[in-house]
Amino acid sequence: MSETIGQRPWMTAPETVAVFDALEAAGGADCARFVGGCVRNTLVGRPVDDLDIATTLSPERVTTALKAAGLKAVPTGVEHGTVTAVCGGKPFEITTLRRDVATDGRRAVVAFTTDWAEDARRRDFTLNALYARRDGSLLDPTGHGVADARAGRIIFVGEAEQRVREDYLRILRFFRFFAWFGSGPADAAALAACETLRGELRTLSAERVSKELLKLLAAPDPRGAVALMARTGVLGEVMPGPVDLDRFNGVVAIEEDQLFEADSVLRLAALLPDDQVGALKFAERLRLPNAERDRIAAALAQTPAFKSWMSPREIRRALYRLGAQAFRDRAKLAWARAGRTATTPQWRGMIALGEGWSAPAFPLTGEDVIAAGVPKGPLVGQVLRELEDWWIDHDFIDDKLSAVEKLKAVAQGMAY
């Protein structure tokens, strides 16, 4: 009896049925199968996010078939055989079966084929070289994909070093899939190939590396994978310079213990030293988006110092100065540095206070300062900053009259 994942709701959804009907109208029954993540995730009991389809039809025939059925066809990667169908607002990535003609570790020249086994041989890992028909029955051309997926074995298709030489990003993909799906000891042949060829990661675009790294760090518990990256020297290729594995492990443990959402950007910050200048250079080298770059730099600032015994007043002051995101990041990093001890309730309470407190609006404006007799110009901003410091020191006093009286005192004491 052949292996099956059964018919799942995502297989029988009207949008999915429409896409398969369109393809089979052009290529006959069994010309298209689900492939990759949706099959793998279903097999191991994980949620399915994206639906990828493999087909014996050429990209041109796929496009024609979709349009004939009134579906949208987007040529997202026709040169590599990929057309995206859009039905009911849902995207389906449809890729023609392929074989590699030439590879250089960064890109591949492919030719199309109608051989499912040939397509499987060019894929990275056995658990990703699985195909499912519309009825849920599985095709496992390597003969090991189903068993490897269920056992949590991340095994390259064929010879590990050859697979890596075809695309050096597969080094990071190995550790990413080990973080997400791996169980037990890592495959020795895969580790050896990754260690031998780790220097080739420098030939890849920064965007490809950073995207893969953040996907890896987003795994529920990537500590084992990151430890293997450090042991094989792969981590040093991606993050040259010192890394803080202890703090990283602490952040992951805190997220796990306290049911915080896995945060790949904070985990990346945790690996870096407390050096904002160095962090900015690293973020720029990886070409991280500006928001992620700035968040990492803010998380690694050294002042104000975070301690578990900070008073509510000190917490509010830090929140106002840093903003909610940077405050949470700084608190979690400091907590991870301190370790999981009896102070856990204090750290948890600090973060809870930060999530529940809304910073009030400073009650004075530049017009108030000018009305108090301060001439227009740089002095207005100087007075406002001094008054804001006073207001913060008085725990955001909710009394504009008191603030106005303080403004008058400051204005009278200044020589213009």
Side-chain angles (χ1 to χ4, degrees):
M1 182 177 178
S2 63
E3 291 277 1
T4 180
I5 55 174
Q7 278 203 318
R8 304 302 175 114
W10 52 266
M11 292 175 161
T12 57
E15 299 86 357
T16 310
V17 171
V19 170
F20 266 80
D21 284 349
L23 295 175
E24 291 184 352
D30 213 25
C31 73
R33 297 173 184 174
F34 299 103
V35 67
C38 58
V39 181
R40 176 198 64 229
N41 285 19
T42 300
L43 190 63
V44 300
R46 300 283 183 89
V48 171
D49 298 319
D50 302 316
L51 296 185
D52 293 340
I53 299 170
T55 181
T56 56
L57 297 176
S58 68
E60 293 77 17
R61 291 185 68 193
V62 169
T63 299
T64 300
L66 294 174
K67 290 182 177 180
L71 303 180
K72 184 177 180 180
V74 183
T76 45
V78 173
E79 68 279 6
H80 290 101
T82 300
V83 175
T84 298
V86 181
C87 180
K90 290 179 59 176
F92 298 80
E93 192 170 276
I94 304 169
T95 302
T96 304
L97 303 186
R98 299 172 293 183
R99 60 181 175 82
D100 288 334
V101 174
T103 60
D104 63 4
R106 295 182 301 280
R107 62 189 68 83
V109 177
V110 300
F112 302 133
T113 179
T114 58
D115 187 336
W116 295 93
E118 195 169 32
D119 183 77
R121 284 194 292 271
R122 72 172 299 277
R123 294 183 179 270
D124 49 11
F125 309 112
T126 56
L127 82 171
N128 289 337
L130 294 170
Y131 308 81
R133 297 180 178 87
R134 298 178 73 170
D135 63 3
S137 59
L138 294 177
L139 175 66
D140 184 2
T142 71
H144 305 285
V146 171
D148 288 344
R150 287 176 172 158
R153 293 188 293 261
I154 314 303
I155 309 292
F156 280 105
V157 174
E159 201 274 315
E161 188 167 318
Q162 180 182 344
R163 290 285 86 75
V164 173
R165 289 188 182 279
E166 290 167 354
D167 184 353
Y168 297 122
L169 191 68
R170 285 174 173 168
I171 295 172
L172 293 182
R173 284 177 61 83
F174 169 77
F175 292 104
R176 195 242 291 187
F177 279 92
F178 186 79
W180 279 94
F181 299 98
S183 178
D187 180 62
L191 284 179
C194 292
E195 183 171 10
T196 298
L197 297 171
R198 65 185 186 275
E200 300 296 342
L201 286 169
R202 285 172 264 171
T203 67
L204 301 177
S205 72
E207 291 88 350
R208 293 186 76 199
V209 170
S210 61
K211 183 177 180 181
E212 198 66 35
L213 180 61
L214 288 171
K215 285 182 178 179
L216 188 163
L217 294 178
D221 186 357
R223 287 173 288 186
V226 172
L228 285 174
M229 291 174 69
R231 195 184 85 191
T232 56
V234 170
L235 189 61
E237 296 293 338
V238 178
M239 303 182 69
V243 293
D244 195 334
L245 284 175
D246 288 339
R247 183 166 64 181
F248 167 77
N249 291 336
V251 166
V252 177
I254 288 166
E255 291 174 338
E256 187 176 63
D257 289 350
Q258 302 299 316
L259 302 181
F260 292 130
E261 185 177 349
D263 189 330
S264 58
V265 176
L266 179 62
R267 291 172 175 184
L268 181 57
L271 282 167
L272 295 167
D274 289 325
D275 172 11
Q276 284 187 300
V277 174
L280 284 170
K281 289 181 180 177
F282 171 76
E284 289 168 0
R285 185 172 68 82
L286 279 190
R287 297 185 183 174
L288 295 176
N290 290 344
E292 292 178 359
R293 178 201 65 196
D294 295 343
R295 182 184 170 194
I296 289 172
L300 296 176
Q302 297 185 50
T303 56
F306 273 63
K307 303 294 183 183
S308 64
W309 58 83
M310 289 171 69
S311 68
R313 179 175 175 175
E314 290 174 310
I315 291 171
R316 287 190 289 269
R317 184 183 303 177
L319 264 166
Y320 184 80
R321 295 291 194 191
L322 298 173
Q325 181 70 73
F327 176 88
R328 287 193 299 269
D329 290 345
R330 294 284 309 282
K332 289 177 182 177
L333 290 179
W335 184 359
R337 175 78 74 194
R340 288 178 293 162
T341 66
T343 59
T344 289
Q346 287 94 315
W347 289 112
R348 191 65 180 89
M350 179 190 300
I351 293 171
L353 178 57
E355 291 172 344
W357 184 73
S358 298
F362 180 49
L364 298 176
T365 66
E367 291 180 356
D368 294 322
V369 175
I370 294 170
V374 178
K376 293 182 180 180
L379 276 177
V380 173
Q382 179 182 327
V383 170
L384 275 175
R385 285 189 293 272
E386 183 176 337
L387 289 166
E388 187 176 24
D389 289 341
W390 168 85
W391 178 67
I392 293 170
D393 286 341
H394 285 72
D395 203 18
F396 311 96
I397 185 170
D398 186 19
D399 181 359
K400 184 169 183 177
L401 183 60
S402 295
V404 170
E405 290 301 315
K406 179 63 178 178
L407 166 59
K408 291 177 181 178
V410 170
Q412 290 171 2
M414 295 187 71
Y416 305 126

